[in-house]
Each structure stands twice: as C-alpha cells, then as structure tokens.
Amino acid sequence: MKRIELGELTAQKEKYLGKEVTVCGWVRTSRDSKNVAFIELNDGSSLKHTQAVLDKSKFTADKLAGCLNLGAAVRVRGKLVEGMKAEAVEIAADSVELLGECPLEYPLQKKRHTMEYLRTIPHLRVRSNTFNAMFRIRSELSYAIHEFFHKNGFYYVHTPIITGSDCEGAGEIFKVTTMGYAPAVKSEEEYYASDFFGKQAGLTVSGQLEGEVMATAMGKIYTFGPTFRAENSNTTRHAAEFWQVEPEVAFAEIDDIIEIATDMIKYITRYVLDNCADELKFFEERFEQGLTAKLRNVAESEFARVDYAEAIELLLKSGKKFDYPVEWGCDLQTEHERYLTDEVFCKPVFVVNYPKEIKSFYMKLNPDGKTVAATDLLVPGVGEIIGCSERENDYKKLLKAIEVRGMKMSDYEQYLDLRKFGSVPHSGFGLGLERMLMYVTGIGNIRDTQIYPRTKNYLA
Ligand code: 4AD
Ligand code: MG
C-alpha cells in the first residue's frame, strides 16, 4: 500500500477517514500500558504529530520491540479514525514495522532541551519541533521571496561565489587559495601570482556588483544566495555564512527602491502568516508573545522613516546613557538601533541619508556632499535587516570614492565601465534571510536559523 504523508492525512482527513492507510515516521513520544500502546509520529510533513493506537492483543511483544523507542523510524498500517482531540485523527494500527532502531541513548529526549545543547547536535536537532518549524518557515519564506520578484517582473540571476573584488570594501573577505605555506615566496604579489587564479580571490560578501552588471542590461534582477563575511563580531546576529536576497533595479532612485523593499517585506510576511499558521503559533507560545499580531501589523501598516540626522537628535534627546557615544557621523550601534526600533518607533523604520564616511564606496552622494542616498531598514528586536542604496552613477564621483578609500582601482574597472557606457540611475538592496527569519520567528540567535551555522571559532 502506498505511503501517505502525515501532513496530507490531517489536511485531507475526510478523504481518508475509515480507510486503511500506511504511514511512516519517527517516534516523537510513546506511552505503553497493559492493553494498549500509543505512538506519536512525525514524518516532517507537518508540525503536528499523528497518533497511532496499538491494541496490544493484536501484537506479540516481539513485534513491538524497539517500535516505542523515541527516535525510532517505523512504518504503521491501520485504519484512520477520529481522534480524541477535536479535529485530530489517529490510526488504529494493524501492523507496525521497525525501519530503523533507535537506542535509548538518543540525544533528543522527551524534554525541553536548551538551545545551546541543541547547537551541539546540529544533525539531530532538526528533528525537534523548534527546528522543524524553523526550517519549514525558512523554506516558505524563500519561496515567497522568489514569488514576489517573479510576479513583479524581476529576473533571477546567479552571481559568482568566488570573486576578485570586495563589494563592501570592508576587508572581511575569506580568501580562496590552493596554496599552502610558502616561506620562499618574497612578496604578496608573487604569492598570489602563483596561486590558482593568478591573483587574489575570495568568497563573495555580496552579489551586488555583478547584480548591477545584470541590471544595466536586463532592467530588474535579483540574486538570492550564500554570502560570506569574516567578521570578527561574535554577536547573536552575525554569521560568517548567510543568505542574501539582492534586487537591483535600473532607472530606480532611492525612494523607488524603498517602496520595493517595503512591498517585498509586506508580501513575504503576509505569505508566512497565510501559510505557516501552526509554526507561528508554536513560536508565539515558545519564543515571542504577540508574534502573530506583530507580523500582521508589519503586513498591514506603514513603515516609519527617519533621517539619520533626526535619528541622532532622537538619541541625544533620549536621556539614555549609551556605551558608544552619539554624535553626527557615528555609526549606529546595536544599542542605538534598539532604542530607535524598540522604544521610539516600535515597528520597522528606514533610517535614510547616512554620512558618507560610514558607508560603502558605491552609494550615491547627496547634493549636500556629506551624506549618501542610503538607508538601513531596522526592525524591533533584531536591528538592521536590509542595507539599501541608490548607486553612484557619476563616473568621476565614483572614481573619487574608490580613490579616497585606497581601494585597488584595477579591481573595479568593469564596475566603472557601467558608468561610462549608458550610465543610468539605479538602486538596490540586500536583505539578510537569517535576520528576517529571526524577526519572523522571534528566535533570538542567528545560529538557530541555519542548519550548520558558521561563526567565529565555530564550525560544527
Ligand atoms: O548592509 P549590507 O552589508 O549590504 C550589502 O551587502 C549590500 N551590498 C546589499 C545591496 O545593496 N545589494 O548587508 C545586507 C544585509 C544586512 O542588512 C543584514 O541583514 C545581512 O545582509 N547581513 C548579515 N546577516 C548575517 N550575518 C552577517 N554577518 C551579515 N552581514 C550582513
Ligand atoms: Mg549594512
């Protein structure tokens, strides 16, 4: 008999009630008594478990051996009947087959493990409810991102992972090399000249530069893939490997791209609300009170917008004592962002027009000569989830920005060419997928949004 997924059984219960069904899954809980045994099964197709009821007069002890162990993989056949709980169904089992035994020292026991402990068993923690729910939302959110861009006429492009330039210019590139320690090599140039590419190479920190190349041919594009940063920040929201969604739009100015970013966040939030109700309820109960109402608010109400200079004023007037001093020109630290999002605006806020010195070389210089047409979207509880800007499309100004920062001009020749040949205003942004997941689920640590998180001194 063909196996039916448990998610399908519960979603289409009318179709299967009273019929013989075959299901498979891992034992999540079990109870044994003299006459009857209960097994709660999960096969990954839904957050909810399905119960199989075993009338023990039908089974020899031999047949049941190992089938009630937590974590064991089993196949159950039987009739689908109404369950005890409202809406639930259960299987009156005729047969149980042990597909994979699971000894009692299974590291996931029937108790609430700490997140720290679960991080030590990344290969098994995915079988817990929390991670089941997390990865289902991660999958749905990714799908929603593709759907949003596809519906709006964007092309999905694949930019390289190995690059020769540093998009953010922050020197946080992981080197890609096939050479080992070579004491005989006299200089850095000589070293890289004999390396695989004949020049220095690294893992991309952002697909933006190549995204701009594509946007200036195809109009509206987005990339969606892994990006890498050797940032030395050991925080709950930095990972060395994370996924970024990066749209790039020709003929768009800063306000146009802010509108697209807003629409995208609302769209994907609405998608998760509509398609992951069970998972959100779970996260609401375990991790963040009021989560669903918060997300509804995001999907339905306006985002705030504040000028960087005004944000500095708000921080100065706050009467708070911050660890990092606040003055015009300073980069906003987590504590500053927190104050703005959690105490002043209490919803997503775009901070616009940052001082040029604290932002990347490619951002368009505003007429004041001091600030750039750039914005970060900050959200309560997480901080920055989007970095966004209009790009400098003036050849001379861009050249100067590269020079001032002492960047290697030869690495940016093609990028400069875009400003030489048919230059147009254009804008884009990057959304960190894991940061968005933290916001959507209320999970407080980025390490719990990835299967195998990579952070400083940590490669599980
Ligand atoms: O603000 P960032 O550095 O912007 C860029 O990389 C631009 N090139 C994007 C663009 O305009 N196409 O990074 C964008 C977003 C951040 O807002 C944050 O959500 C996420 O990427 N991010 C990280 N997420 C996890 N761990 C890290 N170390 C991250 N660094 C950035
Ligand atoms: Mg940023």
Side-chain angles (χ1 to χ4, degrees), residues 168 229 359-360 362-363 375-376 384 386-388 430 435:
E168 292 307 305
R229 295 200 188 170
K359 288 291 182 189
S360 300
Y362 53 74
M363 297 176 175
T375 179
D376 284 354
E384 178 193 337
I386 282 181
C388 172
R435 297 253 181 107

Side-chain angles (χ1 to χ4, degrees), residues 167-168 205-206 208 229 231 237-239 242 244 246-248 362 384-389 391 428-432 435 446:
C167 172
E168 292 307 305
V205 297
S206 159
Q208 179 193 325
R229 295 200 188 170
E231 263 166 314
R237 47 191 207 130
H238 286 89
F242 61 98
Q244 246 193 102
E246 296 183 89
E248 191 69 34
Y362 53 74
E384 178 193 337
I385 60 167
I386 282 181
C388 172
S389 61
R391 318 309 189 187
F429 68 83
L431 166 74
R435 297 253 181 107
I446 199 162

Side-chain angles (χ1 to χ4, degrees), residues 129-149:
N129 291 335
T130 303
F131 288 90
N132 236 258
M134 172 58 75
F135 289 110
R136 200 166 298 109
I137 292 189
R138 189 176 169 122
S139 171
E140 293 296 314
L141 199 62
S142 303
Y143 179 78
I145 287 164
H146 284 299
E147 193 174 85
F148 172 82
F149 286 114

Side-chain angles (χ1 to χ4, degrees), residues 85-316:
K85 288 184 226 143
E87 287 178 51
V89 286
E90 56 187 41
I91 299 163
D94 295 321
S95 84
V96 190
E97 192 184 328
L98 186 63
L99 298 175
E101 65 180 352
C102 190
L104 297 177
E105 64 265 25
Y106 183 47
L108 279 181
Q109 289 299 313
K110 195 190 157 186
K111 63 171 192 179
R112 205 162 160 187
H113 295 290
T114 64
M115 300 304 273
E116 288 76 19
Y117 169 72
L118 290 171
R119 267 173 232 143
T120 65
I121 45 166
H123 58 308
L124 296 174
R125 70 173 182 172
V126 289
R127 298 187 198 177
S128 67
N129 291 335
T130 303
F131 288 90
N132 236 258
M134 172 58 75
F135 289 110
R136 200 166 298 109
I137 292 189
R138 189 176 169 122
S139 171
E140 293 296 314
L141 199 62
S142 303
Y143 179 78
I145 287 164
H146 284 299
E147 193 174 85
F148 172 82
F149 286 114
H150 189 76
K151 276 190 179 166
N152 286 288
F154 283 72
Y155 298 106
Y156 175 33
V157 304
H158 303 109
T159 49
I161 303 268
I162 300 176
T163 60
S165 57
D166 180 355
C167 172
E168 292 307 305
E172 288 160 347
I173 289 209
F174 282 104
K175 292 195 176 97
V176 172
T177 169
T178 52
M179 299 228 321
Y181 175 61
V185 179
K186 285 185 218 72
S187 67
E188 217 179 8
E189 268 121 51
E190 195 182 314
Y191 181 93
Y192 290 118
S194 40
D195 203 351
F196 189 87
F197 295 105
K199 63 182 276 196
Q200 195 172 341
L203 296 178
T204 187
V205 297
S206 159
Q208 179 193 325
L209 302 190
E210 298 87 351
E212 285 186 51
V213 169
M214 292 302 282
T216 49
M218 305 195 64
K220 289 189 293 191
I221 64 93
Y222 71 104
T223 71
F224 187 9
T227 49
F228 307 85
R229 295 200 188 170
E231 263 166 314
N232 212 345
S233 22
N234 195 6
T235 76
T236 51
R237 47 191 207 130
H238 286 89
E241 176 173 347
F242 61 98
W243 276 60
Q244 246 193 102
V245 187
E246 296 183 89
E248 191 69 34
V249 185
F251 312 108
E253 295 172 10
I254 186 77
D255 286 340
D256 304 313
I257 198 72
I258 288 179
E259 196 179 320
I260 294 170
T262 307
D263 290 348
M264 182 201 69
I265 295 290
K266 283 175 181 286
Y267 186 91
I268 62 180
T269 303
R270 161 68 44 214
Y271 190 93
V272 172
L273 279 165
D274 290 346
N275 293 280
C276 305
D278 287 346
E279 287 75 10
L280 290 180
K281 188 161 162 273
F282 174 86
F283 282 114
E284 169 131 17
E285 281 164 11
R286 300 286 183 101
F287 293 95
E288 185 178 325
Q289 255 184 19
L291 179 69
T292 311
K294 173 187 90 177
L295 296 181
R296 250 189 231 120
N297 222 11
V298 171
E300 282 155 20
S301 56
E302 290 303 303
F303 292 2
R305 177 172 169 152
V306 65
D307 208 81
Y308 167 86
E310 219 178 307
I312 294 295
E313 287 302 312
L314 287 169
L315 290 164
L316 287 172

Side-chain angles (χ1 to χ4, degrees), residues 304-315 328 332 340 345 349-355 366 368 371-375:
R305 177 172 169 152
V306 65
D307 208 81
Y308 167 86
E310 219 178 307
I312 294 295
E313 287 302 312
L314 287 169
L315 290 164
W328 195 96
L332 296 185
L340 294 171
F345 295 100
V349 52
F350 284 103
V351 180
V352 284
N353 300 323
Y354 283 87
N366 282 326
D368 64 11
T371 60
V372 283
T375 179

